Structure formats: structure tokens, C-alpha cells
Amino acid sequence: MGLDNVAVQWPRTGRFYDPVAPAEFVDFADLAEQLPLHAGPAATLADHVAKTGTVRVTGYTELVDLLFGLNGVLFATDAAAEDEDPVISPDDCAWIAGGLERFVNGHQEHGDEITFETVSAVLRKALEGSRLAEQQLRWLQSRLDALRDDSGNAPQWSYSISELDVLARFYRRCANRGFAVYADF
């Protein structure tokens, strides 16, 4: 069992959110077919979105939280903390999509494979030259250190640019069509 992000109609009209019909994501199947052969996880993700209107995000939560500098981004924890449903609004879907898109663009110079080291490099570069660069870089280093295990080993992340691009497209589709995303545990 894990965390799924399910596209739902926004706003809620009754006691429950109505799932968005998978037909709204059917073109993700075409995306899956266009991906290179070595992009297996990305193609699998795109195919799953096309069939279900859902993204299994358990494997992405740690990475996404690091990219956004928050905890529980894909869990919709702010809403849950306020005793509301764990839902990511269309505006927040746009925010997530934008952050993922910027990361994908910033990662291009590091190749197709996304690792802990390349994520660190992209985030450091994004912070350099900012108004509070030194303070933000220290904060980033503390976040990176917190992700290491007791022996100091980094997480063994292995994502592809295509995979994160598919993830970004899911949230962009939700934002553009006014769908919310329900965090289903």
C-alpha cells in the first residue's frame, strides 16, 4: 500500500470527491509510446495515468519534498492538518507542476538520470546568486544531510528526466482543466 494522487473534480459537490474519468488522461498512452525504450518507468507511469487518472507517488515523495523545501507536498498535509480532506487544489497542482518543470529544465545539463548528487547540484545552482544564497545553501545542506542514513550514505535515487516530466504533466493537466488531486493512502 502506498500513496496515490487521484485526479478529482473540483470543488467537491457532496460528501465525496468524484474521480475524474480516465478519458481525460487518455493521451498519456500516446506519451508512453513516444518515450525511448530505456524510459521504462516513465512509460509505465504514463500508461498508468492514461488508464486510471491516478499517479502512484510513494516513490517520489522524498524527492518532491526536497525540491519544494517542504514536507508532505504530495500528501496534501496542510489540508489534513486543518482537518480538511487531503486534497491538492488546482492552483497547488499548478505550483507543483511548475516546480517540477523548472527542475526538469534545470537538470538537462546533468543528463537523463536523476540521482541524489545531480539533484543536489541542480538545487545548489538554483540558489547561487539569490538574495540570501549563503543562508539558503546552508539550509539546503542541512536538508541533504538529513536524507542520509546513519552511515552517511545518500539515498539511492534513480529517476529519469522523462519520469519527472510525466509527473509534471499530470499535475499540469489537473491545473489546466481545473481538477484537484486527492491524496489516497
Side-chain angles (χ1 to χ4, degrees):
M1 183 127 192
L3 173 64
D4 289 346
N5 276 189
V6 181
V8 294
Q9 298 294 331
W10 181 260
R12 177 176 68 184
T13 55
R15 284 185 51 204
F16 303 102
Y17 290 91
D18 294 324
V20 170
E24 295 285 348
F25 297 92
V26 73
D27 60 318
F28 275 67
D30 297 334
L31 176 62
E33 291 177 8
Q34 296 170 6
L35 291 167
L37 291 177
H38 69 279
T44 301
L45 178 61
D47 190 53
H48 183 74
V49 171
K51 290 178 182 173
T52 66
T54 301
V55 174
R56 292 194 170 127
V57 296
T58 303
Y60 304 104
T61 58
E62 197 173 61
L63 172 62
V64 170
D65 285 355
L66 177 62
L67 295 179
F68 287 89
L70 299 169
N71 291 321
V73 172
L74 302 178
F75 286 88
T77 53
D78 285 343
E82 298 168 4
D83 293 327
E84 295 178 12
D85 294 327
V87 175
I88 301 168
S89 73
D91 288 342
D92 290 334
C93 285
W95 175 70
I96 291 170
L100 291 172
E101 291 160 353
R102 282 187 300 280
F103 174 76
V104 166
N105 289 335
H107 195 280
Q108 296 298 328
E109 68 186 68
H110 297 280
D112 187 54
E113 186 180 9
I114 298 170
T115 65
F116 184 77
E117 291 75 23
T118 63
V119 170
S120 301
V122 170
L123 292 177
R124 280 189 178 94
K125 183 175 182 181
L127 293 175
E128 290 173 356
S130 65
R131 190 169 58 94
L132 299 171
E134 191 174 314
Q135 178 184 1
Q136 291 175 334
L137 287 167
R138 280 194 310 272
W139 170 85
L140 174 60
Q141 189 58 51
S142 71
R143 291 283 296 214
L144 294 170
D145 291 343
L147 290 171
R148 295 181 180 278
D149 65 18
D150 292 338
S151 301
N153 298 317
Q156 297 301 305
W157 293 341
S158 182
Y159 305 101
S160 70
I161 288 289
S162 301
E163 202 173 347
L164 267 282
D165 184 53
V166 171
L167 191 64
R169 287 174 188 238
F170 172 78
Y171 292 102
R172 180 61 62 203
R173 173 67 53 86
C174 290
N176 289 347
R177 297 205 178 159
F179 303 145
V181 172
Y182 184 83
D184 187 18
F185 305 94

